[in-house]
Amino acid sequence: LDLGPDERYFLVRLVALTAHHDIGQHGLTPDQAKTVVERLARHGRVFISAEGDLDDDLKPFLLPTPADQILNVMAFADMLISDGQAMTAEAAVLGTPSVRCNTFVGRISYLEELEHRYGLTVGLRPDQFDRMLTLMDEWLTRPNLKIGICGEHGGDPRSIEFCHQVGMDYVSCSPFRVPIARLAAAHAALADEK
Protein backbone atom coordinates (compact mmCIF):
# COMPACT_ATOMS: atom_id res chain seq x y z
CA LEU A 1 0.00 0.00 0.00
CA ASP A 2 3.07 2.21 0.12
CA LEU A 3 2.26 3.63 3.56
CA GLY A 4 4.52 5.27 6.09
CA PRO A 5 5.05 3.43 9.42
CA ASP A 6 2.47 5.52 11.33
CA GLU A 7 0.29 6.57 8.41
CA ARG A 8 -3.42 6.07 9.01
CA TYR A 9 -5.59 4.49 6.36
CA PHE A 10 -9.22 3.62 5.93
CA LEU A 11 -11.03 1.03 3.84
CA VAL A 12 -14.33 1.69 2.09
CA ARG A 13 -16.16 -1.37 0.78
CA LEU A 14 -18.78 -0.85 -1.91
CA VAL A 15 -20.76 -3.91 -2.98
CA ALA A 16 -22.83 -4.33 -6.14
CA LEU A 17 -25.96 -5.73 -4.42
CA THR A 18 -26.88 -7.64 -7.59
CA ALA A 19 -27.56 -11.10 -6.14
CA HIS A 20 -31.09 -12.50 -6.18
CA HIS A 21 -31.54 -11.84 -2.45
CA ASP A 22 -30.40 -8.21 -2.97
CA ILE A 23 -33.37 -7.27 -5.15
CA GLY A 24 -34.85 -4.02 -3.87
CA GLN A 25 -31.96 -3.41 -1.45
CA HIS A 26 -29.40 -0.64 -1.59
CA GLY A 27 -26.37 0.68 0.19
CA LEU A 28 -24.43 3.89 -0.16
CA THR A 29 -25.28 6.10 -3.13
CA PRO A 30 -22.38 7.34 -5.27
CA ASP A 31 -22.74 10.79 -3.65
CA GLN A 32 -22.71 9.27 -0.17
CA ALA A 33 -19.61 7.24 -1.06
CA LYS A 34 -17.88 10.42 -2.24
CA THR A 35 -18.79 12.18 1.00
CA VAL A 36 -17.40 9.26 3.05
CA VAL A 37 -14.14 9.27 1.08
CA GLU A 38 -13.75 13.04 1.40
CA ARG A 39 -14.41 12.89 5.16
CA LEU A 40 -11.95 10.03 5.74
CA ALA A 41 -9.28 11.58 3.48
CA ARG A 42 -8.94 14.46 5.95
CA HIS A 43 -7.50 11.97 8.43
CA GLY A 44 -5.45 9.56 6.31
CA ARG A 45 -5.29 7.55 3.11
CA VAL A 46 -8.46 6.00 1.76
CA PHE A 47 -8.70 2.79 -0.23
CA ILE A 48 -11.85 1.51 -1.91
CA SER A 49 -12.67 -2.15 -2.46
CA ALA A 50 -15.52 -2.26 -4.97
CA GLU A 51 -17.52 -4.97 -6.70
CA GLY A 52 -19.01 -2.70 -9.35
CA ASP A 53 -17.97 0.26 -11.43
CA LEU A 54 -16.90 3.43 -9.67
CA ASP A 55 -17.43 7.02 -10.71
CA ASP A 56 -14.28 8.44 -12.28
CA ASP A 57 -13.48 10.65 -9.30
CA LEU A 58 -13.40 7.60 -6.98
CA LYS A 59 -11.20 5.41 -9.22
CA PRO A 60 -7.92 6.86 -7.86
CA PHE A 61 -8.86 5.36 -4.48
CA LEU A 62 -9.19 1.77 -5.76
CA LEU A 63 -7.33 -0.68 -3.57
CA PRO A 64 -4.21 -1.93 -5.42
CA THR A 65 -4.11 -5.19 -3.47
CA PRO A 66 -5.01 -8.70 -4.66
CA ALA A 67 -8.29 -10.01 -3.28
CA ASP A 68 -6.53 -12.73 -1.28
CA GLN A 69 -4.81 -10.02 0.81
CA ILE A 70 -7.97 -8.12 1.79
CA LEU A 71 -8.04 -9.47 5.34
CA ASN A 72 -4.52 -8.19 5.95
CA VAL A 73 -5.52 -4.77 4.65
CA MET A 74 -8.65 -4.81 6.78
CA ALA A 75 -6.88 -5.92 9.96
CA PHE A 76 -4.57 -2.91 9.92
CA ALA A 77 -7.08 -0.32 8.70
CA ASP A 78 -8.15 2.36 11.15
CA MET A 79 -11.77 1.93 10.10
CA LEU A 80 -14.00 0.14 7.60
CA ILE A 81 -17.04 1.82 6.07
CA SER A 82 -19.06 -0.70 4.08
CA ASP A 83 -22.40 -1.24 2.46
CA GLY A 84 -21.92 -5.01 2.52
CA GLN A 85 -22.33 -7.67 5.16
CA ALA A 86 -19.36 -10.06 4.93
CA MET A 87 -16.48 -7.59 5.22
CA THR A 88 -18.28 -5.76 8.01
CA ALA A 89 -18.43 -8.96 10.06
CA GLU A 90 -14.83 -9.83 9.20
CA ALA A 91 -13.64 -6.37 10.25
CA ALA A 92 -15.55 -6.68 13.52
CA VAL A 93 -13.89 -9.95 14.52
CA LEU A 94 -10.50 -8.62 13.40
CA GLY A 95 -10.95 -5.68 15.76
CA THR A 96 -11.26 -3.01 13.09
CA PRO A 97 -13.96 -0.44 13.85
CA SER A 98 -16.66 -0.84 11.22
CA VAL A 99 -19.84 0.85 10.10
CA ARG A 100 -22.27 -0.79 7.69
CA CYS A 101 -24.78 1.30 5.78
CA ASN A 102 -27.47 -0.50 3.78
CA THR A 103 -31.15 -1.47 3.84
CA PHE A 104 -30.36 -4.90 5.34
CA VAL A 105 -29.60 -3.27 8.71
CA GLY A 106 -31.74 -4.76 11.47
CA ARG A 107 -32.46 -7.94 9.51
CA ILE A 108 -29.29 -10.06 9.60
CA SER A 109 -28.99 -11.88 12.91
CA TYR A 110 -25.22 -12.41 13.11
CA LEU A 111 -24.55 -8.72 12.41
CA GLU A 112 -27.21 -7.70 14.91
CA GLU A 113 -25.47 -9.88 17.49
CA LEU A 114 -22.04 -8.43 16.67
CA GLU A 115 -23.50 -4.95 17.10
CA HIS A 116 -25.92 -5.21 20.00
CA ARG A 117 -24.43 -8.01 22.09
CA TYR A 118 -20.71 -7.41 21.54
CA GLY A 119 -20.49 -3.79 20.35
CA LEU A 120 -18.10 -4.74 17.54
CA THR A 121 -19.77 -2.89 14.66
CA VAL A 122 -22.52 -0.41 13.94
CA GLY A 123 -25.25 -0.77 11.33
CA LEU A 124 -27.13 2.24 9.94
CA ARG A 125 -29.62 2.56 7.11
CA PRO A 126 -28.89 4.88 4.16
CA ASP A 127 -31.52 7.32 5.47
CA GLN A 128 -29.38 7.60 8.62
CA PHE A 129 -26.37 8.83 6.65
CA ASP A 130 -25.94 12.02 8.69
CA ARG A 131 -25.80 9.90 11.84
CA MET A 132 -23.14 7.75 10.19
CA LEU A 133 -21.03 10.83 9.41
CA THR A 134 -21.34 11.97 13.02
CA LEU A 135 -20.26 8.54 14.26
CA MET A 136 -17.31 8.52 11.85
CA ASP A 137 -16.22 11.95 13.12
CA GLU A 138 -16.43 10.73 16.73
CA TRP A 139 -14.35 7.65 15.95
CA LEU A 140 -11.82 9.60 13.89
CA THR A 141 -11.12 11.98 16.76
CA ARG A 142 -11.34 9.54 19.66
CA PRO A 143 -7.82 9.02 20.98
CA ASN A 144 -8.72 6.01 23.10
CA LEU A 145 -10.64 3.90 20.59
CA LYS A 146 -10.05 0.32 21.66
CA ILE A 147 -9.11 -2.17 19.00
CA GLY A 148 -8.87 -5.93 19.44
CA ILE A 149 -10.10 -9.26 18.14
CA CYS A 150 -12.60 -11.83 19.31
CA GLY A 151 -13.39 -15.41 18.50
CA GLU A 152 -11.03 -18.32 18.11
CA HIS A 153 -8.22 -16.02 16.95
CA GLY A 154 -8.38 -14.38 20.37
CA GLY A 155 -7.25 -17.65 21.97
CA ASP A 156 -4.52 -18.56 19.50
CA PRO A 157 -1.00 -17.86 20.83
CA ARG A 158 0.32 -16.76 17.42
CA SER A 159 -2.61 -14.39 16.96
CA ILE A 160 -2.10 -12.98 20.44
CA GLU A 161 1.58 -12.37 19.74
CA PHE A 162 0.62 -10.62 16.50
CA CYS A 163 -2.01 -8.49 18.29
CA HIS A 164 0.59 -7.46 20.84
CA GLN A 165 3.12 -6.56 18.16
CA VAL A 166 0.70 -4.32 16.27
CA GLY A 167 -0.57 -2.61 19.43
CA MET A 168 -4.10 -3.97 19.72
CA ASP A 169 -5.76 -3.30 23.06
CA TYR A 170 -7.43 -6.64 23.76
CA VAL A 171 -8.27 -10.13 22.66
CA SER A 172 -11.44 -11.99 23.49
CA CYS A 173 -11.96 -15.73 23.29
CA SER A 174 -14.09 -18.57 24.56
CA PRO A 175 -13.68 -19.36 28.29
CA PHE A 176 -11.84 -22.66 27.76
CA ARG A 177 -9.08 -20.80 25.84
CA VAL A 178 -8.55 -18.06 28.46
CA PRO A 179 -5.63 -19.81 30.25
CA ILE A 180 -3.76 -20.26 26.95
CA ALA A 181 -4.56 -16.66 25.96
CA ARG A 182 -3.24 -15.29 29.27
CA LEU A 183 -0.03 -17.28 28.96
CA ALA A 184 0.47 -16.17 25.35
CA ALA A 185 -0.14 -12.52 26.33
CA ALA A 186 2.45 -12.81 29.10
CA HIS A 187 4.97 -14.34 26.70
CA ALA A 188 4.39 -11.53 24.19
CA ALA A 189 4.86 -8.87 26.90
CA LEU A 190 8.03 -10.54 28.18
CA ALA A 191 9.45 -10.79 24.68
CA ASP A 192 9.18 -6.99 24.47
CA GLU A 193 11.29 -6.59 27.59
CA LYS A 194 14.19 -8.54 26.12
Side-chain angles (χ1 to χ4, degrees):
L1 296 178
D2 196 30
L3 296 164
D6 294 320
E7 189 173 359
R8 296 180 81 183
Y9 73 93
F10 309 97
L11 184 59
V12 176
R13 172 66 170 165
L14 302 174
V15 297
L17 293 172
T18 56
H20 178 73
H21 61 265
D22 294 332
I23 294 173
Q25 303 303 316
H26 65 278
L28 295 169
T29 67
D31 286 339
Q32 288 174 329
K34 289 174 193 172
T35 300
V36 165
V37 169
E38 290 168 2
R39 185 77 54 110
L40 292 173
R42 297 178 199 158
H43 300 274
R45 300 259 311 268
V46 179
F47 298 100
I48 297 176
S49 166
E51 289 182 346
D53 292 330
L54 289 177
D55 287 354
D56 287 341
D57 50 348
L58 291 179
K59 287 181 181 176
F61 297 96
L62 265 174
L63 183 66
T65 305
D68 66 343
Q69 294 298 310
I70 193 67
L71 292 177
N72 293 327
V73 172
M74 199 181 331
F76 291 101
D78 286 81
M79 186 184 307
L80 169 76
I81 304 298
S82 176
D83 61 3
Q85 279 59 249
M87 284 183 61
T88 301
E90 292 163 347
V93 297
L94 286 169
T96 300
S98 61
V99 179
R100 174 177 56 111
C101 185
N102 64 33
T103 52
F104 282 106
V105 169
R107 299 178 20 219
I108 299 179
S109 61
Y110 72 95
L111 286 163
E112 290 299 297
E113 184 173 9
L114 286 172
E115 179 177 359
H116 299 293
R117 184 172 180 186
Y118 298 106
L120 296 174
T121 187
V122 173
L124 297 167
R125 298 178 58 80
D127 61 0
Q128 298 173 301
F129 185 69
D130 289 338
R131 185 170 164 205
M132 185 179 93
L133 293 176
T134 300
L135 178 64
M136 285 172 48
D137 287 340
E138 288 173 14
W139 286 2
L140 287 165
T141 58
R142 188 185 304 169
N144 61 348
L145 185 63
K146 301 291 184 202
I147 298 174
I149 62 169
C150 72
E152 290 308 303
H153 296 296
D156 175 62
R158 290 174 300 187
S159 296
I160 292 168
E161 180 182 6
F162 168 79
C163 293
H164 181 77
Q165 289 171 350
V166 300
M168 287 190 183
D169 300 295
Y170 69 91
V171 297
S172 174
C173 61
S174 58
F176 77 92
R177 296 195 75 158
V178 168
I180 293 168
R182 285 183 174 164
L183 183 60
H187 282 191
L190 289 172
D192 272 358
E193 292 180 13
K194 291 181 180 179

